[in-house]
Amino acid sequence: MKIEYDKDLTGLTTFKVPAKAAIYAEYDSERELLALSRTPEFMENEFLHIGSGSNLLFLAPFKGIVLHSGIKGISKYQKDDETIYVMAGAGEKWTDLVDWCIDNGIAGLENMAGIPGEVGASAVQNVGAYGAEAGDFIHSVECFDVVARKKVLLKRDECHFKYRDSIFKHEAKGQLIVMRVSYRLRPGTNAHNLEYAPLREFAEKLGRIPTTRELADEVVRLRDSKLPNPAIIGSAGSFFKNPEISSYYFQEEIKARGIDIPYHPSSEEGKVKLSGAWLIDHCGLKGFRVGGAEVWPKQPLVIANTGFATGSDVAQLAEHICKNVKKEFFIELNPEVNYIDTRIKVTVLGSGTSKGVPEIGCLCRTCQSEDPKDKRLRASILVETHGLRILIDASPDLRQQALREGLRRLDAILLTHQHYDHVGGIDDVRPFCFERDLPVYANPQTAKDLRNRVDYCFREHPYPGVPKLDLHELECRPFRLEGLEITPIEVMHGKLPIYGYRIGDFAYVTDAKTISDMEKDKLRDLDVLILNCLRVEQPHFAHLILYEALALIEELKPKRAYLTHGSHGLGRHEEVAKLLPPGVEYAYDGEVIMIE
């Protein structure tokens, strides 16, 4: 086991953009991994597990510990004349495994020759190319559970393999570390999978079925003709996934507009898969650059580092591509690459109370103010971190907020409680549900209310186009969203228990009146706290007022605090700001708060 500090990771990723980690550790065995999991470096920090760094884009230094597997070894077991099981350590190079199988007369993986990365990533990412995916051949995955600190074995069906997706990118992220992967292959030297058109053409030129070695060599030749050599030019291979959309949306929205885009049925029922390269090419983006990042002219799914690109260059170019494809073809592209960014960006979508400000029909000074900071939509925020975009509360003003911020993608929604000013915009998430059911997290009472409020979303055969929600009932304990730890905090909204949420060193609490000492402990050592404050003086049975909010902030001592959920009774923004102590600000709609 080897532990290093302030580690430069630039040479450990195929993108070759500047990257650093506070701590870096390598291990060579299950025993070393177990020992590592008991060290302060591991227990006191967020961890990120990497292979050869072929699918990572670092946007900022990683503040936690980066792990790398050195578990090696390849072995085989022949069950019968039709089946051979091959097991490989997660730290083996994928190309070495493919070559080993071919050299030992084992067929199945040859279509995936030349893919950069390590064996562990084949299970995590469900890598694939030229008509084959690793998940088609994986028999089981041996993992280390960092919570239970023991070995667990997942069978293929338990891995939930989908297109470039698996359980290791969602529920198991941050909990299971892949140690070994077992593949169910077959003996033989003849290739079998010739479904991909260029491979059929290759076989036709040969006039026979190619051997596994011949097919692998052809696959590598095809890859080299399209993709930059990662030893010379930094890239992550295909940056974007080929988009998969519902057959209904494809027929009613894409074909109906006369867009003649190449497609074929997805492996997932009711969906079609489109060519992402075609979409980017037909936006005229081949060769387009941002800083040192370029859309690769030979394969527009690839973003290349021309030699001096930063992570920000790559991310900005990716965003430019996505915007243009969305504008031209009404389709959202999603990265295949994982963005590594522990910073937290919070956008205040709305900072007002249930009536908003100005209130309808009110002629008070606050409601008649011309200051944009006194125009407060109903309370919600957008949290962006670790490559995720998380909405906290879907206010009735969500449509207006999303349009103002140019929001095109959501990964999840966290609901604080069931009151209408916090869930009334749930129907407006329809545009974010075309690719998958949108995860929504709430306490049991809020989940029950939501099922009644928008029951049409949860019917067995919903009307086409309604929001598709994947509703999760939370207990008041930490949970993981694609590896990101989120801690619910129970606060009392009068007599109603509701949730606030803590993400890293940031917490959001709205509609609170009292908080127990046990829940207050979850709010200590914060960089930023956003806390509700209804008005200045007149007490309220269910909301904090100014002196109560300031007293709580003084008790919890966050480095910075922001007040939200203000009514017109809180007063004008510029006047309230003068009443606040150092380190406390009055949030406003559209404000962006960064937590480094």
Side-chain angles (χ1 to χ4, degrees):
M1 180 174 63
K2 180 181 179 184
I3 299 179
E4 301 177 66
Y5 300 89
D6 196 27
K7 175 75 170 180
D8 186 348
L9 302 175
T10 305
L12 300 179
T13 71
T14 59
F15 244 128
K16 296 182 174 62
V17 301
K20 295 188 74 173
I23 310 170
Y24 177 80
E26 291 186 335
Y27 58 91
D28 295 329
S29 66
E30 179 184 344
R31 177 177 290 184
E32 285 193 0
L33 179 55
L34 174 61
L36 180 62
S37 73
R38 291 172 171 159
T39 63
E41 288 87 350
F42 184 90
M43 292 190 294
E44 297 173 6
N45 289 283
E46 178 181 359
F47 81 84
L48 168 70
H49 202 288
I50 67 172
S52 61
S54 60
N55 215 40
L56 304 175
L57 176 65
F58 282 83
L59 298 177
F62 187 76
K63 295 188 294 185
I65 181 170
V66 171
L67 307 178
H68 180 258
S69 173
I71 296 177
K72 300 291 184 70
I74 304 174
S75 60
K76 64 178 180 176
Y77 163 70
Q78 184 157 353
K79 180 182 179 182
D80 51 41
D81 291 342
E82 299 295 327
T83 304
I84 292 182
Y85 293 103
V86 173
M87 177 176 283
E92 289 282 356
K93 289 185 178 180
W94 175 257
T95 51
D96 289 348
L97 173 63
V98 174
D99 286 339
W100 186 93
C101 288
I102 293 172
D103 291 344
N104 283 270
I106 302 171
L109 304 184
E110 56 275 0
N111 290 56
M112 294 176 279
I115 295 178
E118 296 179 357
V119 164
S122 71
V124 175
Q125 190 71 11
N126 188 18
V127 300
Y130 299 96
E133 291 185 342
D136 298 335
F137 301 97
I138 289 176
H139 172 256
S140 61
V141 181
E142 187 180 296
C143 306
F144 180 77
D145 187 325
V146 301
V147 177
R149 290 200 176 93
K150 66 178 184 180
K151 181 168 65 177
V152 296
L153 187 70
L154 269 61
K155 296 294 186 181
R156 179 186 181 279
D157 290 345
E158 296 175 296
C159 295
H160 301 168
F161 290 123
K162 295 181 181 178
Y163 172 61
R164 302 297 176 269
D165 203 8
S166 73
I167 193 173
F168 305 106
K169 298 179 74 172
H170 302 287
E171 304 98 309
K173 188 175 181 180
Q175 181 171 347
L176 298 183
I177 294 175
V178 175
M179 294 191 296
R180 296 177 182 84
V181 184
S182 175
Y183 305 86
R184 188 177 189 273
L185 304 171
R186 63 182 181 277
T189 57
N190 282 337
H192 285 258
N193 186 348
L194 301 174
E195 294 181 7
Y196 191 73
L199 300 185
R200 288 199 304 272
E201 294 170 4
F202 174 65
E204 290 171 1
K205 289 180 181 178
L206 286 177
R208 57 177 172 79
I209 299 296
T211 66
T212 52
R213 173 56 67 191
E214 289 171 334
L215 188 77
D217 290 344
E218 177 64 11
V219 165
V220 171
R221 187 193 69 78
L222 290 169
R223 291 181 63 87
D224 290 346
S225 70
K226 297 180 180 180
L227 305 178
N229 184 341
I232 302 172
I233 298 173
S235 82
S238 295
F239 192 93
F240 299 100
K241 300 177 185 178
N242 286 312
E244 293 187 301
I245 62 175
S246 72
S247 300
Y248 173 83
Y249 184 76
F250 178 67
Q251 292 296 331
E252 298 298 321
E253 299 291 337
I254 305 301
K255 297 290 285 185
R257 288 183 169 95
I259 301 172
D260 189 21
I261 179 173
Y263 72 96
H264 60 271
S266 166
S267 58
E268 191 170 348
E269 186 178 354
K271 290 189 174 183
V272 297
K273 183 184 292 186
L274 311 179
S275 168
W278 187 95
L279 293 167
I280 298 169
D281 186 16
H282 283 72
C283 286
L285 292 174
K286 280 185 177 179
F288 187 87
R289 289 192 179 194
V290 171
E294 179 186 43
V295 179
W296 191 243
K298 296 181 179 179
Q299 170 49 275
L301 272 184
V302 174
I303 294 178
N305 177 2
T306 59
F308 56 91
T310 64
S312 179
D313 290 342
V314 176
Q316 289 180 44
L317 177 54
E319 180 67 11
H320 179 80
I321 293 168
C322 290
K323 282 185 176 180
N324 276 268
V325 169
K326 183 76 170 185
K327 180 179 179 180
E328 187 71 23
F329 298 109
F330 320 102
I331 294 169
E332 187 72 34
L333 285 181
N334 287 311
E336 183 176 327
V337 169
N338 296 304
Y339 286 28
I340 308 302
D341 192 355
T342 53
R343 297 173 300 178
I344 302 174
K345 177 183 177 182
V346 178
T347 302
V348 179
L349 300 179
S351 60
T353 188
S354 57
K355 298 179 185 177
V357 180
E359 288 191 9
I360 295 173
C362 184
L363 300 177
C364 75
R365 292 181 65 254
T366 304
C367 289
Q368 293 198 43
S369 170
E370 296 299 322
D371 185 349
K373 293 181 180 179
D374 290 327
K375 311 299 182 185
R376 306 175 203 151
L377 300 176
R378 283 162 285 194
S380 65
I381 61 171
L382 179 69
V383 180
E384 298 175 75
T385 185
H386 292 69
L388 299 171
R389 294 180 183 177
I390 303 168
L391 178 70
I392 302 186
D393 284 340
S395 90
D397 301 318
L398 177 59
R399 181 179 182 277
Q400 184 177 347
Q401 294 164 343
L403 289 171
R404 182 190 71 207
E405 300 300 330
L407 186 60
R408 301 194 323 273
R409 177 174 64 84
L410 274 181
D411 295 293
I413 300 175
L414 309 179
L415 296 177
T416 60
H417 62 296
Q418 66 265 38
H419 287 172
Y420 182 76
D421 55 317
H422 295 264
V423 301
I426 201 72
D427 191 80
D428 289 329
V429 303
R430 294 176 185 232
F432 309 118
C433 300
F434 288 129
E435 292 190 0
R436 63 168 180 156
D437 295 358
L438 183 63
V440 178
Y441 297 82
N443 66 26
Q445 183 58 44
T446 303
K448 179 180 178 181
D449 181 88
L450 196 65
R451 289 189 181 95
N452 291 329
R453 189 185 296 273
V454 288
D455 66 296
Y456 53 87
C457 296
F458 301 100
R459 293 172 184 169
E460 185 176 355
H461 301 291
Y463 186 83
V466 304
K468 297 186 294 181
L469 308 178
D470 180 16
L471 188 56
H472 301 259
E473 293 189 15
L474 296 176
E475 297 180 15
C476 195
R477 62 187 183 190
F479 68 98
R480 290 187 178 275
L481 171 60
E482 298 193 13
L484 176 66
E485 183 170 281
I486 300 174
T487 301
I489 300 133
E490 186 174 83
V491 304
M492 298 304 295
H493 181 31
K495 295 183 178 181
L496 178 68
I498 70 171
Y499 282 170
Y501 293 98
R502 177 170 183 158
I503 302 173
D505 294 327
F506 164 73
Y508 180 73
V509 176
T510 182
D511 289 67
K513 180 63 176 181
T514 58
I515 308 177
S516 72
D517 289 341
M518 184 172 67
E519 296 302 296
K520 284 179 184 177
D521 286 342
K522 299 177 182 179
L523 293 169
R524 301 192 188 280
D525 301 317
L526 289 169
D527 282 348
V528 171
L529 169 65
I530 298 182
L531 182 66
N532 65 295
C533 178
L534 185 69
R535 50 199 184 207
V536 175
E537 294 181 345
Q538 185 181 356
H540 193 276
F541 77 97
H543 290 273
L544 296 170
I545 61 172
L546 184 58
Y547 84 88
E548 295 171 324
L550 293 180
L552 182 57
I553 290 168
E554 175 61 26
E555 179 183 355
L556 297 174
K557 292 181 168 41
K559 293 178 182 177
R560 289 180 285 160
Y562 296 80
L563 303 179
T564 191
H565 208 277
S567 73
H568 62 171
L570 189 57
R572 292 188 174 187
H573 190 281
E574 63 177 1
E575 295 170 355
V576 176
K578 296 175 183 178
L579 304 175
L580 303 180
V584 181
E585 298 182 30
Y586 184 9
Y588 57 87
D589 289 20
E591 184 171 13
V592 174
I593 302 166
M594 291 297 303
I595 300 102
E596 298 292 336

